[in-house]
């Protein structure tokens, strides 16, 4: 499938594989886009070596608009498939020549993914057959901002039983990164999603693999990972037989703190539509740690934005107020609790057709520049009740499992 990356100014680069366009079977092509979505220049060919097939592209952009593209190439590294890359400057011009990424060339090295930090340092990960001693394993290579290799190729997976495949990588602004992949479970025909965190030089932070999925029945496949500026991350994947009542593949995710600990005890379903199958997820996270945003209406006077936030960067990042400025007791919090409870009774996943049995909602109020109860310039709970239809008031509502924190704007 195609891959896309977006620069800080809103411009983007899209890459994909195209058949019979480079003169010999499949090749890798790209298109740069301006911030308004219009093409910036012409479509361009990325792979220089065109013999046989080049595919499975991935792309990541740097701090000033330069980007790197990686892909799988057949019969180029001397033995089956290998991983290759090409760097570009902010103008879309080639920055150096096409280069080989994998050092180990026996059997297949394929399905690469790439991530870049704020300095232009980048890391590439891929799956490699029989290199870890038992079928496929996950390997990677760090590069500095000149395109030179940093250290040796490294193995990402600690567990080597059977197959570890479909890697995804994300990097924070300092170069710390996390790799996620699907891992075959020993002794049974099932797969889990695993992850492991790394330092900028490619050394592992975690002694062993992190099991991402909290429910281990059936198949967990096709992970995608995203990371915020400080190292909090989210993993999304497809899981079979769990998004009831359908019993086919659905999309799940789970968020983690920068120390690798899960933010929630359980994974949760992402897709609202549960009939038939939902597959091949992709996830993104902004610099503040918000991986998913959607809007919702609460009655006719409330405008809502639900942001799935990381624990170390909660609503304070959105509201620009110190975290922990919480209000407790009195009419203010009672009113907010009533509003929250009223609209948390029904399940979002089925368009509020059934009762919500999990998670149980507990609410709190947070002072903002617009709503500061108890001050001469602020509002009291009674004022809030009187001015729902006319004033600009902000309220924060959160759930105890940190699955969601909701910013509600009244007015």
């Amino acid at each position: 499938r195609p891959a896309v990356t977006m620069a800080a100014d809103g411009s983007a680069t899209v890459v994909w594989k195209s058949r019979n366009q480079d003169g010999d079977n499949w090749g890798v092509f790209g298109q740069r886009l301006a911030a308004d979505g219009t093409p910036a220049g012409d479509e361009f060919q990325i792979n220089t070596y065109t013999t046989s097939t080049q595919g499975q592209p991935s792309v990541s952009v740097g701090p000033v608009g330069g980007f790197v593209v990686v892909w799988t190439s057949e019969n180029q590294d001397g033995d089956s498939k290998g991983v290759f890359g090409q760097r570009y400057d902010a103008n879309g011009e080639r920055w150096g020549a096409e280069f080989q990424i994998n050092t180990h060339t026996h059997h297949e090295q394929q399905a690469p993914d790439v991530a870049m930090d704020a300095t232009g340092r980048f890391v590439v990960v891929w799956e490699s057959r029989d290199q870890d001693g038992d079928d496929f394993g996950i390997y990677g290579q760090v590069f500095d901002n000149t395109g030179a290799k940093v250290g040796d190729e490294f193995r990402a997976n600690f567990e080597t039983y059977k197959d570890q495949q479909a890697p995804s990588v994300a990097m924070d602004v300092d170069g710390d990164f996390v790799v996620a992949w699907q891992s075959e479970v020993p002794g049974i025909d099932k797969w889990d999603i695993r992850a492991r965190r790394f330092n900028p030089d490619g050394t592992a932070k975690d002694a062993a693999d992190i099991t991402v999925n909290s429910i281990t029945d059936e198949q967990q496949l096709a992970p995608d990972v995203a990371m915020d500026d400080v190292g909090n991350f989210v993993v999304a994947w497809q899981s079979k037989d769990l998004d009831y009542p359908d019993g086919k593949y659905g999309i799940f995710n789970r968020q983690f703190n920068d120390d690798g600990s899960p933010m929630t005890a359980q994974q949760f379903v992402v897709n609202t539509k549960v009939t038939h199958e939902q597959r091949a997820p992709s996830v993104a996270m902004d610099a503040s740690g918000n991986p998913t945003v959607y809007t919702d209406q609460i009655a006719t006077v409330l405008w809502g934005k639900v942001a799935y936030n990381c624990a170390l960067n909660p609503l304070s990042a959105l509201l620009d107020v110190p975290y922990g400025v919480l209000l407790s007791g009195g009419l203010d919090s009672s009113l907010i609790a009533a509003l929250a409870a009223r609209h948390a009774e029904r399940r979002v996943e089925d368009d509020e057709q059934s009762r919500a049995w999990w998670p149980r909602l507990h609410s709190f109020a947070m002072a903002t520049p617009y709503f500061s109860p108890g001050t001469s310039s602020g509002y009291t709970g009674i004022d809030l009740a009187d001015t729902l239809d006319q004033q600009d008031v902000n309220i924060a509502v959160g759930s105890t499992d940190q699955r969601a924190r909701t910013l509600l704007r009244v007015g």
Side-chain angles (χ1 to χ4, degrees), residues 85-165:
Q86 175 66 60
R87 299 167 70 223
Y88 289 84
D89 64 22
N91 297 315
E93 300 295 330
R94 290 181 184 270
W95 195 355
E98 177 177 295
F99 58 97
Q100 182 175 321
I101 294 168
N102 58 293
T103 302
H104 180 88
T105 60
H106 187 54
H107 288 315
E108 300 97 337
Q109 289 73 48
Q110 60 189 17
D113 195 24
V114 61
M116 184 176 285
D117 72 7
T119 68
R121 173 195 296 255
F122 61 97
V123 60
V124 185
V125 296
W126 63 91
E127 61 184 43
S128 181
R129 186 177 176 186
D130 290 340
Q131 188 174 350
D132 70 358
D134 192 353
D135 290 335
F136 279 100
I138 307 300
Y139 284 79
Q141 177 68 60
V142 176
F143 294 82
D144 66 22
N145 58 11
T146 70
K149 290 183 176 181
V150 176
D152 296 327
E153 177 176 289
F154 63 90
R155 191 180 79 204
N157 55 292
F158 177 79
E159 174 62 60
T160 60
Y161 174 83
K162 297 292 284 185
D163 286 324
Q164 329 296 320
Q165 291 186 282

Side-chain angles (χ1 to χ4, degrees), residues 48-357:
T48 303
Y49 180 89
T50 60
T51 302
S52 193
T53 292
Q54 289 74 45
Q56 299 178 315
S58 179
V59 60
S60 187
V61 68
V64 294
F67 59 96
V68 60
V69 185
V70 299
W71 64 91
T72 302
S73 183
E74 289 187 1
N75 303 320
Q76 187 175 353
D77 70 357
D79 188 353
S80 191
K81 298 176 181 178
V83 178
F84 289 78
Q86 175 66 60
R87 299 167 70 223
Y88 289 84
D89 64 22
N91 297 315
E93 300 295 330
R94 290 181 184 270
W95 195 355
E98 177 177 295
F99 58 97
Q100 182 175 321
I101 294 168
N102 58 293
T103 302
H104 180 88
T105 60
H106 187 54
H107 288 315
E108 300 97 337
Q109 289 73 48
Q110 60 189 17
D113 195 24
V114 61
M116 184 176 285
D117 72 7
T119 68
R121 173 195 296 255
F122 61 97
V123 60
V124 185
V125 296
W126 63 91
E127 61 184 43
S128 181
R129 186 177 176 186
D130 290 340
Q131 188 174 350
D132 70 358
D134 192 353
D135 290 335
F136 279 100
I138 307 300
Y139 284 79
Q141 177 68 60
V142 176
F143 294 82
D144 66 22
N145 58 11
T146 70
K149 290 183 176 181
V150 176
D152 296 327
E153 177 176 289
F154 63 90
R155 191 180 79 204
N157 55 292
F158 177 79
E159 174 62 60
T160 60
Y161 174 83
K162 297 292 284 185
D163 286 324
Q164 329 296 320
Q165 291 186 282
S168 177
V169 65
M171 183 176 261
D172 68 18
V173 294
D174 296 323
D176 300 291
F177 60 94
V178 61
V179 184
W181 64 91
Q182 64 188 46
S183 179
E184 194 168 358
V185 179
I188 55 177
D189 185 22
K190 292 182 180 179
W191 296 75
D192 282 336
I193 303 301
R194 302 286 174 86
R196 202 176 185 192
R197 299 172 305 125
F198 293 85
N199 296 302
D201 62 359
T203 57
K205 292 184 177 183
D206 300 308
D209 305 334
I210 299 169
T211 299
V212 173
N213 50 293
S214 59
I215 302 174
T216 57
D217 293 338
E218 295 301 336
Q219 312 295 345
Q220 330 292 326
L221 302 169
D224 194 34
V225 64
M227 179 175 271
D228 71 9
D229 279 357
V230 297
N232 304 305
F233 62 97
V234 58
V235 185
W237 68 94
Q238 68 184 49
S239 184
K240 189 176 182 182
D241 293 339
L242 295 183
D243 64 336
Y244 298 106
D246 187 69
K248 294 189 173 127
Y249 277 104
I251 307 302
F252 290 77
N253 78 13
R254 197 177 186 192
Q255 292 175 240
F256 292 80
N257 298 306
D258 64 341
D259 63 1
S261 61
M263 292 187 184
T264 59
Q266 299 292 328
Q267 65 192 49
F268 66 90
V269 65
V270 175
N271 52 291
T272 302
K273 176 183 170 62
V274 296
T275 55
H276 301 299
E277 294 194 340
Q278 291 75 44
R279 295 182 181 231
S282 184
V283 65
M285 178 176 271
D286 69 15
S288 298
N290 304 314
T292 307
V293 176
Y294 67 89
T295 59
D296 192 20
Q297 288 187 342
I298 298 182
T300 59
V301 297
L302 298 180
W303 171 86
K305 184 170 73 173
V306 179
Y308 295 100
N309 287 327
C310 293
L312 297 184
N313 191 49
L315 279 174
S316 56
L318 298 176
L319 300 179
D320 194 28
V321 294
Y323 175 58
V325 184
L326 303 179
L327 308 177
S328 61
L331 181 59
D332 304 320
S333 57
S334 299
L335 177 59
I336 295 170
L339 287 170
R342 174 183 171 188
H343 298 284
E345 292 179 351
R346 318 299 293 183
R347 289 180 62 83
V348 175
E349 293 87 349
D350 64 0
D351 199 22
E352 300 188 350
Q353 296 303 304
S354 61
R355 282 187 171 273
W357 56 272

